[in-house]
Amino acid sequence: MRNLDQDTITQAVIAGFEQTPDPRLKEILTNAVQHLHAFARETRLSEAEWMEGIRFLTAVGQQCDEKRQEFILLSDTLGLSTLAVAMNNPKPAGCTQATVLGPFHVAGAPSYAHGEDVANGAPGVPCLVRGTVRGIAGDALGAARIEVWQADAQGLYDVQRPGLAQHQARGVLHTDAQGRFFFRTVVAEAYPIPADGPVGALLRATRRHPWRPAHLHFMIEAEGYESLVTHVFREGDRYLDSDAVFGVRSSLIAEWVPHDGPEGRHYTLDFDFVMNKAAV
Ligand code: BEZ
Ligand code: FE
């Protein structure tokens, strides 16, 4: 393994994986090296440019901590997250489609009963969200676990507010025997993804905006069904066709209906989820 040049280096590295006991790891590494080397060749990558790439990836890593996941942002803004979701969550016609998880899902969301206010003090215009969870055959799914999280009127998730003592605009509910759920919250607003790190610099260098259209996140689990990670997007949002993370699907867009009463304006949102059977 001497005197390697641009024609022989790729095969030499791949041969080094020959003894890898895990066949899937071997396949992933082999493909990764093949594509990385092809990328360098096709781009005619200079050493200075690759150093810049290493500097950028280092900055992405240094931006990560328990509250901030810059690598997820990078994957999301490069469309890799949407590609992985689309490849791994094909849903038959009639099922609710999946979309990206995003970096703001955290463990430990508080539990709520039907009708309670998951906003828990988050600023925003009141909104009532209601719907059902059903199986693909139309059967109501009782006791399905619904986790919801969203940005508030200022476009912030609770985890982006330092010092907040309790979770806001985030909660867990369970459907009733008829598969129904309803909860109060505040209207979700469009927001820019965190752009003060290296991913933000990449967006600016490529003249892309950091905005996501207004949405609620849902993670739904029901026994015997594939778990579903998805959003409901707000009809009419100006960013529906230029989502910074490529997550919008037409079937996930719904209307937030305004109502004006003696206590001012509030909204209702109705959305029904349809779950795909888990493979047995
Ligand atoms: C989100 O919707 O929470 C999100 C998704 C991808 C990147 C940033 C935020
Ligand atoms: Fe979000």
Side-chain angles (χ1 to χ4, degrees), residues 195-235:
D196 57 343
V199 170
L202 184 69
L203 293 179
R204 285 187 290 281
T206 53
R207 305 294 184 268
R208 281 173 56 185
H209 73 69
W211 287 84
R212 296 217 65 208
H215 58 271
L216 298 177
H217 291 258
F218 286 94
M219 182 184 283
I220 305 185
E221 280 156 13
E223 209 172 318
Y225 289 81
E226 289 175 354
S227 63
L228 174 68
V229 174
T230 195
H231 296 10
V232 178
F233 292 95
R234 187 170 175 189
E235 178 67 272

mmCIF file of all heavy atoms in Angstrom, residues 195-235:
data_model
loop_
_atom_site.group_PDB
_atom_site.id
_atom_site.type_symbol
_atom_site.label_atom_id
_atom_site.label_comp_id
_atom_site.label_asym_id
_atom_site.label_seq_id
_atom_site.Cartn_x
_atom_site.Cartn_y
_atom_site.Cartn_z
ATOM 1 N N ALA A 195 -29.997 31.054 13.272
ATOM 2 C CA ALA A 195 -29.112 31.439 12.162
ATOM 3 C C ALA A 195 -27.866 32.160 12.664
ATOM 4 O O ALA A 195 -27.155 32.789 11.875
ATOM 5 C CB ALA A 195 -29.890 32.319 11.173
ATOM 6 N N ASP A 196 -27.594 32.057 13.967
ATOM 7 C CA ASP A 196 -26.432 32.746 14.535
ATOM 8 C C ASP A 196 -25.193 31.858 14.569
ATOM 9 O O ASP A 196 -24.182 32.221 15.166
ATOM 10 C CB ASP A 196 -26.761 33.243 15.951
ATOM 11 C CG ASP A 196 -27.212 32.106 16.860
ATOM 12 O OD1 ASP A 196 -27.581 31.029 16.335
ATOM 13 O OD2 ASP A 196 -27.180 32.279 18.089
ATOM 14 N N GLY A 197 -25.242 30.694 13.926
ATOM 15 C CA GLY A 197 -24.094 29.780 13.904
ATOM 16 C C GLY A 197 -23.628 29.543 12.476
ATOM 17 O O GLY A 197 -24.024 30.253 11.545
ATOM 18 N N PRO A 198 -22.797 28.511 12.279
ATOM 19 C CA PRO A 198 -22.246 28.236 10.952
ATOM 20 C C PRO A 198 -23.313 27.902 9.900
ATOM 21 O O PRO A 198 -23.142 28.239 8.720
ATOM 22 C CB PRO A 198 -21.306 27.047 11.177
ATOM 23 C CG PRO A 198 -21.568 26.559 12.553
ATOM 24 C CD PRO A 198 -22.201 27.655 13.321
ATOM 25 N N VAL A 199 -24.425 27.253 10.313
ATOM 26 C CA VAL A 199 -25.468 26.957 9.325
ATOM 27 C C VAL A 199 -26.116 28.257 8.841
ATOM 28 O O VAL A 199 -26.397 28.428 7.651
ATOM 29 C CB VAL A 199 -26.519 25.971 9.904
ATOM 30 C CG1 VAL A 199 -27.723 25.834 8.991
ATOM 31 C CG2 VAL A 199 -25.871 24.610 10.135
ATOM 32 N N GLY A 200 -26.310 29.210 9.752
ATOM 33 C CA GLY A 200 -26.823 30.532 9.352
ATOM 34 C C GLY A 200 -25.869 31.208 8.371
ATOM 35 O O GLY A 200 -26.308 31.815 7.381
ATOM 36 N N ALA A 201 -24.567 31.079 8.622
ATOM 37 C CA ALA A 201 -23.569 31.682 7.713
ATOM 38 C C ALA A 201 -23.679 31.050 6.326
ATOM 39 O O ALA A 201 -23.587 31.743 5.299
ATOM 40 C CB ALA A 201 -22.164 31.498 8.283
ATOM 41 N N LEU A 202 -23.917 29.727 6.305
ATOM 42 C CA LEU A 202 -24.071 29.025 5.019
ATOM 43 C C LEU A 202 -25.313 29.529 4.275
ATOM 44 O O LEU A 202 -25.277 29.757 3.060
ATOM 45 C CB LEU A 202 -24.176 27.524 5.266
ATOM 46 C CG LEU A 202 -24.253 26.637 4.022
ATOM 47 C CD1 LEU A 202 -22.925 26.634 3.282
ATOM 48 C CD2 LEU A 202 -24.623 25.210 4.418
ATOM 49 N N LEU A 203 -26.416 29.729 5.030
ATOM 50 C CA LEU A 203 -27.635 30.241 4.398
ATOM 51 C C LEU A 203 -27.379 31.628 3.802
ATOM 52 O O LEU A 203 -27.776 31.923 2.674
ATOM 53 C CB LEU A 203 -28.790 30.302 5.405
ATOM 54 C CG LEU A 203 -29.325 28.967 5.927
ATOM 55 C CD1 LEU A 203 -30.440 29.196 6.940
ATOM 56 C CD2 LEU A 203 -29.833 28.086 4.788
ATOM 57 N N ARG A 204 -26.700 32.484 4.557
ATOM 58 C CA ARG A 204 -26.434 33.848 4.050
ATOM 59 C C ARG A 204 -25.513 33.807 2.834
ATOM 60 O O ARG A 204 -25.731 34.523 1.869
ATOM 61 C CB ARG A 204 -25.838 34.723 5.156
ATOM 62 C CG ARG A 204 -26.873 35.174 6.183
ATOM 63 C CD ARG A 204 -26.313 36.168 7.167
ATOM 64 N NE ARG A 204 -25.355 35.558 8.066
ATOM 65 C CZ ARG A 204 -25.672 34.813 9.137
ATOM 66 N NH1 ARG A 204 -26.936 34.595 9.446
ATOM 67 N NH2 ARG A 204 -24.733 34.294 9.903
ATOM 68 N N ALA A 205 -24.498 32.935 2.878
ATOM 69 C CA ALA A 205 -23.555 32.851 1.750
ATOM 70 C C ALA A 205 -24.256 32.401 0.478
ATOM 71 O O ALA A 205 -23.795 32.688 -0.628
ATOM 72 C CB ALA A 205 -22.425 31.888 2.098
ATOM 73 N N THR A 206 -25.368 31.664 0.642
ATOM 74 C CA THR A 206 -26.085 31.156 -0.528
ATOM 75 C C THR A 206 -27.386 31.935 -0.781
ATOM 76 O O THR A 206 -28.223 31.507 -1.585
ATOM 77 C CB THR A 206 -26.404 29.646 -0.349
ATOM 78 O OG1 THR A 206 -27.074 29.455 0.906
ATOM 79 C CG2 THR A 206 -25.129 28.822 -0.356
ATOM 80 N N ARG A 207 -27.508 33.065 -0.068
ATOM 81 C CA ARG A 207 -28.670 33.969 -0.240
ATOM 82 C C ARG A 207 -29.992 33.254 0.018
ATOM 83 O O ARG A 207 -31.000 33.517 -0.643
ATOM 84 C CB ARG A 207 -28.689 34.596 -1.649
ATOM 85 C CG ARG A 207 -27.402 35.325 -2.011
ATOM 86 C CD ARG A 207 -27.190 36.557 -1.133
ATOM 87 N NE ARG A 207 -26.013 37.311 -1.548
ATOM 88 C CZ ARG A 207 -24.784 37.137 -1.057
ATOM 89 N NH1 ARG A 207 -24.561 36.246 -0.110
ATOM 90 N NH2 ARG A 207 -23.779 37.866 -1.483
ATOM 91 N N ARG A 208 -29.970 32.315 0.985
ATOM 92 C CA ARG A 208 -31.218 31.654 1.375
ATOM 93 C C ARG A 208 -31.727 32.264 2.670
ATOM 94 O O ARG A 208 -30.940 32.636 3.534
ATOM 95 C CB ARG A 208 -30.970 30.155 1.595
ATOM 96 C CG ARG A 208 -30.894 29.363 0.305
ATOM 97 C CD ARG A 208 -30.473 27.939 0.575
ATOM 98 N NE ARG A 208 -31.354 27.262 1.540
ATOM 99 C CZ ARG A 208 -31.123 26.029 2.008
ATOM 100 N NH1 ARG A 208 -30.057 25.362 1.610
ATOM 101 N NH2 ARG A 208 -31.957 25.483 2.863
ATOM 102 N N HIS A 209 -33.063 32.314 2.825
ATOM 103 C CA HIS A 209 -33.620 32.824 4.080
ATOM 104 C C HIS A 209 -33.757 31.669 5.082
ATOM 105 O O HIS A 209 -33.785 30.496 4.693
ATOM 106 C CB HIS A 209 -34.954 33.545 3.834
ATOM 107 C CG HIS A 209 -36.086 32.613 3.515
ATOM 108 N ND1 HIS A 209 -36.625 31.744 4.445
ATOM 109 C CD2 HIS A 209 -36.779 32.388 2.380
ATOM 110 C CE1 HIS A 209 -37.596 31.041 3.904
ATOM 111 N NE2 HIS A 209 -37.697 31.399 2.634
ATOM 112 N N PRO A 210 -33.837 31.962 6.377
ATOM 113 C CA PRO A 210 -33.892 30.898 7.387
ATOM 114 C C PRO A 210 -35.314 30.543 7.848
ATOM 115 O O PRO A 210 -35.471 29.817 8.836
ATOM 116 C CB PRO A 210 -33.120 31.531 8.547
ATOM 117 C CG PRO A 210 -33.441 32.985 8.447
ATOM 118 C CD PRO A 210 -33.614 33.293 6.967
ATOM 119 N N TRP A 211 -36.345 31.012 7.157
ATOM 120 C CA TRP A 211 -37.698 30.908 7.722
ATOM 121 C C TRP A 211 -38.358 29.561 7.476
ATOM 122 O O TRP A 211 -38.195 28.954 6.422
ATOM 123 C CB TRP A 211 -38.592 32.016 7.151
ATOM 124 C CG TRP A 211 -38.240 33.345 7.734
ATOM 125 C CD1 TRP A 211 -37.246 34.182 7.305
ATOM 126 C CD2 TRP A 211 -38.836 33.971 8.867
ATOM 127 N NE1 TRP A 211 -37.189 35.296 8.104
ATOM 128 C CE2 TRP A 211 -38.154 35.200 9.066
ATOM 129 C CE3 TRP A 211 -39.876 33.624 9.724
ATOM 130 C CZ2 TRP A 211 -38.491 36.069 10.102
ATOM 131 C CZ3 TRP A 211 -40.218 34.499 10.752
ATOM 132 C CH2 TRP A 211 -39.524 35.709 10.937
ATOM 133 N N ARG A 212 -39.164 29.142 8.474
ATOM 134 C CA ARG A 212 -40.051 28.000 8.343
ATOM 135 C C ARG A 212 -41.488 28.512 8.412
ATOM 136 O O ARG A 212 -41.802 29.377 9.239
ATOM 137 C CB ARG A 212 -39.870 27.011 9.504
ATOM 138 C CG ARG A 212 -38.487 26.363 9.569
ATOM 139 C CD ARG A 212 -38.622 24.933 10.007
ATOM 140 N NE ARG A 212 -39.348 24.177 8.995
ATOM 141 C CZ ARG A 212 -40.085 23.090 9.236
ATOM 142 N NH1 ARG A 212 -40.209 22.643 10.462
ATOM 143 N NH2 ARG A 212 -40.712 22.470 8.257
ATOM 144 N N PRO A 213 -42.395 27.970 7.581
ATOM 145 C CA PRO A 213 -43.806 28.369 7.703
ATOM 146 C C PRO A 213 -44.371 27.908 9.043
ATOM 147 O O PRO A 213 -43.904 26.924 9.613
ATOM 148 C CB PRO A 213 -44.477 27.630 6.540
ATOM 149 C CG PRO A 213 -43.562 26.511 6.201
ATOM 150 C CD PRO A 213 -42.169 26.943 6.561
ATOM 151 N N ALA A 214 -45.389 28.619 9.537
ATOM 152 C CA ALA A 214 -46.003 28.283 10.831
ATOM 153 C C ALA A 214 -46.485 26.821 10.835
ATOM 154 O O ALA A 214 -47.081 26.365 9.857
ATOM 155 C CB ALA A 214 -47.182 29.206 11.092
ATOM 156 N N HIS A 215 -46.241 26.134 11.945
ATOM 157 C CA HIS A 215 -46.630 24.715 12.020
ATOM 158 C C HIS A 215 -46.704 24.260 13.469
ATOM 159 O O HIS A 215 -46.090 24.843 14.361
ATOM 160 C CB HIS A 215 -45.618 23.837 11.273
ATOM 161 C CG HIS A 215 -44.223 23.980 11.799
ATOM 162 N ND1 HIS A 215 -43.358 24.933 11.320
ATOM 163 C CD2 HIS A 215 -43.538 23.325 12.766
ATOM 164 C CE1 HIS A 215 -42.206 24.852 11.975
ATOM 165 N NE2 HIS A 215 -42.286 23.887 12.868
ATOM 166 N N LEU A 216 -47.443 23.183 13.675
ATOM 167 C CA LEU A 216 -47.409 22.418 14.925
ATOM 168 C C LEU A 216 -46.659 21.122 14.635
ATOM 169 O O LEU A 216 -46.832 20.537 13.563
ATOM 170 C CB LEU A 216 -48.822 22.043 15.386
ATOM 171 C CG LEU A 216 -49.791 23.169 15.721
ATOM 172 C CD1 LEU A 216 -51.148 22.559 16.086
ATOM 173 C CD2 LEU A 216 -49.266 23.989 16.877
ATOM 174 N N HIS A 217 -45.849 20.675 15.591
ATOM 175 C CA HIS A 217 -45.216 19.354 15.467
ATOM 176 C C HIS A 217 -46.065 18.328 16.198
ATOM 177 O O HIS A 217 -46.556 18.615 17.304
ATOM 178 C CB HIS A 217 -43.855 19.334 16.172
ATOM 179 C CG HIS A 217 -42.805 20.153 15.512
ATOM 180 N ND1 HIS A 217 -41.815 19.613 14.743
ATOM 181 C CD2 HIS A 217 -42.579 21.488 15.530
ATOM 182 C CE1 HIS A 217 -41.015 20.572 14.310
ATOM 183 N NE2 HIS A 217 -41.451 21.724 14.774
ATOM 184 N N PHE A 218 -46.182 17.146 15.603
ATOM 185 C CA PHE A 218 -46.855 16.028 16.283
ATOM 186 C C PHE A 218 -46.007 14.768 16.198
ATOM 187 O O PHE A 218 -45.403 14.494 15.143
ATOM 188 C CB PHE A 218 -48.209 15.721 15.631
ATOM 189 C CG PHE A 218 -49.273 16.730 15.940
ATOM 190 C CD1 PHE A 218 -49.517 17.785 15.085
ATOM 191 C CD2 PHE A 218 -50.036 16.612 17.095
ATOM 192 C CE1 PHE A 218 -50.500 18.724 15.366
ATOM 193 C CE2 PHE A 218 -51.025 17.544 17.381
ATOM 194 C CZ PHE A 218 -51.259 18.605 16.519
ATOM 195 N N MET A 219 -45.987 14.030 17.312
ATOM 196 C CA MET A 219 -45.442 12.668 17.303
ATOM 197 C C MET A 219 -46.544 11.793 17.868
ATOM 198 O O MET A 219 -46.992 12.020 18.999
ATOM 199 C CB MET A 219 -44.191 12.594 18.186
ATOM 200 C CG MET A 219 -43.543 11.227 18.201
ATOM 201 S SD MET A 219 -42.150 11.182 19.339
ATOM 202 C CE MET A 219 -40.918 12.035 18.402
ATOM 203 N N ILE A 220 -47.012 10.823 17.088
ATOM 204 C CA ILE A 220 -48.181 10.027 17.501
ATOM 205 C C ILE A 220 -47.797 8.553 17.543
ATOM 206 O O ILE A 220 -47.193 8.035 16.590
ATOM 207 C CB ILE A 220 -49.369 10.277 16.550
ATOM 208 C CG1 ILE A 220 -49.665 11.780 16.486
ATOM 209 C CG2 ILE A 220 -50.596 9.486 16.996
ATOM 210 C CD1 ILE A 220 -50.861 12.171 15.685
ATOM 211 N N GLU A 221 -48.161 7.910 18.642
ATOM 212 C CA GLU A 221 -47.863 6.484 18.810
ATOM 213 C C GLU A 221 -49.134 5.740 19.196
ATOM 214 O O GLU A 221 -49.844 6.166 20.114
ATOM 215 C CB GLU A 221 -46.804 6.293 19.898
ATOM 216 C CG GLU A 221 -45.414 6.561 19.363
ATOM 217 C CD GLU A 221 -44.412 6.949 20.423
ATOM 218 O OE1 GLU A 221 -44.709 6.791 21.620
ATOM 219 O OE2 GLU A 221 -43.336 7.420 20.033
ATOM 220 N N ALA A 222 -49.412 4.654 18.483
ATOM 221 C CA ALA A 222 -50.574 3.812 18.802
ATOM 222 C C ALA A 222 -50.152 2.371 18.586
ATOM 223 O O ALA A 222 -49.443 2.074 17.614
ATOM 224 C CB ALA A 222 -51.754 4.161 17.888
ATOM 225 N N GLU A 223 -50.593 1.503 19.500
ATOM 226 C CA GLU A 223 -50.133 0.119 19.439
ATOM 227 C C GLU A 223 -50.554 -0.548 18.130
ATOM 228 O O GLU A 223 -51.715 -0.415 17.700
ATOM 229 C CB GLU A 223 -50.710 -0.667 20.626
ATOM 230 C CG GLU A 223 -49.774 -1.782 20.998
ATOM 231 C CD GLU A 223 -50.195 -2.460 22.281
ATOM 232 O OE1 GLU A 223 -50.586 -1.731 23.225
ATOM 233 O OE2 GLU A 223 -50.147 -3.687 22.308
ATOM 234 N N GLY A 224 -49.605 -1.218 17.507
ATOM 235 C CA GLY A 224 -49.897 -1.923 16.251
ATOM 236 C C GLY A 224 -49.741 -1.042 15.020
ATOM 237 O O GLY A 224 -49.974 -1.502 13.903
ATOM 238 N N TYR A 225 -49.350 0.243 15.235
ATOM 239 C CA TYR A 225 -49.223 1.180 14.114
ATOM 240 C C TYR A 225 -47.815 1.768 14.067
ATOM 241 O O TYR A 225 -47.136 1.859 15.099
ATOM 242 C CB TYR A 225 -50.258 2.306 14.243
ATOM 243 C CG TYR A 225 -51.650 1.792 13.984
ATOM 244 C CD1 TYR A 225 -52.355 1.142 14.986
ATOM 245 C CD2 TYR A 225 -52.214 1.884 12.723
ATOM 246 C CE1 TYR A 225 -53.608 0.589 14.740
ATOM 247 C CE2 TYR A 225 -53.470 1.342 12.466
ATOM 248 C CZ TYR A 225 -54.163 0.703 13.479
ATOM 249 O OH TYR A 225 -55.389 0.161 13.212
ATOM 250 N N GLU A 226 -47.379 2.154 12.856
ATOM 251 C CA GLU A 226 -46.087 2.841 12.729
ATOM 252 C C GLU A 226 -46.178 4.163 13.466
ATOM 253 O O GLU A 226 -47.177 4.881 13.332
ATOM 254 C CB GLU A 226 -45.796 3.157 11.253
ATOM 255 C CG GLU A 226 -45.463 1.964 10.412
ATOM 256 C CD GLU A 226 -45.316 2.342 8.938
ATOM 257 O OE1 GLU A 226 -45.571 3.499 8.547
ATOM 258 O OE2 GLU A 226 -44.953 1.430 8.175
ATOM 259 N N SER A 227 -45.149 4.501 14.230
ATOM 260 C CA SER A 227 -45.225 5.817 14.875
ATOM 261 C C SER A 227 -45.043 6.893 13.808
ATOM 262 O O SER A 227 -44.377 6.687 12.787
ATOM 263 C CB SER A 227 -44.233 5.941 16.021
ATOM 264 O OG SER A 227 -42.947 5.824 15.529
ATOM 265 N N LEU A 228 -45.686 8.013 14.052
ATOM 266 C CA LEU A 228 -45.773 9.072 13.045
ATOM 267 C C LEU A 228 -45.164 10.353 13.597
ATOM 268 O O LEU A 228 -45.570 10.835 14.651
ATOM 269 C CB LEU A 228 -47.258 9.314 12.701
ATOM 270 C CG LEU A 228 -47.564 10.484 11.776
ATOM 271 C CD1 LEU A 228 -47.029 10.221 10.363
ATOM 272 C CD2 LEU A 228 -49.074 10.747 11.714
ATOM 273 N N VAL A 229 -44.184 10.902 12.886
ATOM 274 C CA VAL A 229 -43.602 12.206 13.234
ATOM 275 C C VAL A 229 -43.970 13.149 12.109
ATOM 276 O O VAL A 229 -43.607 12.917 10.942
ATOM 277 C CB VAL A 229 -42.069 12.110 13.374
ATOM 278 C CG1 VAL A 229 -41.471 13.490 13.598
ATOM 279 C CG2 VAL A 229 -41.691 11.177 14.511
ATOM 280 N N THR A 230 -44.714 14.177 12.420
ATOM 281 C CA THR A 230 -45.219 15.020 11.342
ATOM 282 C C THR A 230 -45.456 16.450 11.812
ATOM 283 O O THR A 230 -45.163 16.810 12.964
ATOM 284 C CB THR A 230 -46.488 14.367 10.731
ATOM 285 O OG1 THR A 230 -46.764 14.993 9.484
ATOM 286 C CG2 THR A 230 -47.691 14.479 11.658
ATOM 287 N N HIS A 231 -45.924 17.296 10.905
ATOM 288 C CA HIS A 231 -46.329 18.667 11.237
ATOM 289 C C HIS A 231 -47.745 18.892 10.709
ATOM 290 O O HIS A 231 -48.179 18.195 9.789
ATOM 291 C CB HIS A 231 -45.522 19.720 10.474
ATOM 292 C CG HIS A 231 -44.064 19.819 10.721
ATOM 293 N ND1 HIS A 231 -43.320 18.931 11.440
ATOM 294 C CD2 HIS A 231 -43.190 20.770 10.292
ATOM 295 C CE1 HIS A 231 -42.061 19.329 11.458
ATOM 296 N NE2 HIS A 231 -41.953 20.444 10.763
ATOM 297 N N VAL A 232 -48.406 19.915 11.217
ATOM 298 C CA VAL A 232 -49.566 20.511 10.530
ATOM 299 C C VAL A 232 -49.177 21.951 10.241
ATOM 300 O O VAL A 232 -48.794 22.701 11.155
ATOM 301 C CB VAL A 232 -50.847 20.437 11.384
ATOM 302 C CG1 VAL A 232 -51.999 21.110 10.640
ATOM 303 C CG2 VAL A 232 -51.192 18.984 11.689
ATOM 304 N N PHE A 233 -49.197 22.328 8.959
ATOM 305 C CA PHE A 233 -48.784 23.669 8.526
ATOM 306 C C PHE A 233 -49.990 24.575 8.380
ATOM 307 O O PHE A 233 -51.092 24.115 8.057
ATOM 308 C CB PHE A 233 -48.079 23.589 7.170
ATOM 309 C CG PHE A 233 -46.750 22.883 7.216
ATOM 310 C CD1 PHE A 233 -46.665 21.530 6.921
ATOM 311 C CD2 PHE A 233 -45.593 23.573 7.546
ATOM 312 C CE1 PHE A 233 -45.443 20.881 6.956
ATOM 313 C CE2 PHE A 233 -44.370 22.922 7.584
ATOM 314 C CZ PHE A 233 -44.297 21.577 7.288
ATOM 315 N N ARG A 234 -49.744 25.865 8.507
ATOM 316 C CA ARG A 234 -50.840 26.841 8.463
ATOM 317 C C ARG A 234 -51.064 27.348 7.029
ATOM 318 O O ARG A 234 -50.166 27.943 6.419
ATOM 319 C CB ARG A 234 -50.505 28.017 9.381
ATOM 320 C CG ARG A 234 -51.638 28.984 9.516
ATOM 321 C CD ARG A 234 -51.320 29.969 10.601
ATOM 322 N NE ARG A 234 -52.342 30.985 10.675
ATOM 323 C CZ ARG A 234 -52.260 32.063 11.409
ATOM 324 N NH1 ARG A 234 -51.199 32.257 12.167
ATOM 325 N NH2 ARG A 234 -53.234 32.950 11.426
ATOM 326 N N GLU A 235 -52.284 27.079 6.540
ATOM 327 C CA GLU A 235 -52.685 27.558 5.212
ATOM 328 C C GLU A 235 -52.429 29.061 5.082
ATOM 329 O O GLU A 235 -52.702 29.818 6.020
ATOM 330 C CB GLU A 235 -54.182 27.261 5.021
ATOM 331 C CG GLU A 235 -54.791 27.731 3.727
ATOM 332 C CD GLU A 235 -54.249 26.969 2.527
ATOM 333 O OE1 GLU A 235 -53.212 27.377 1.971
ATOM 334 O OE2 GLU A 235 -54.863 25.948 2.167
#
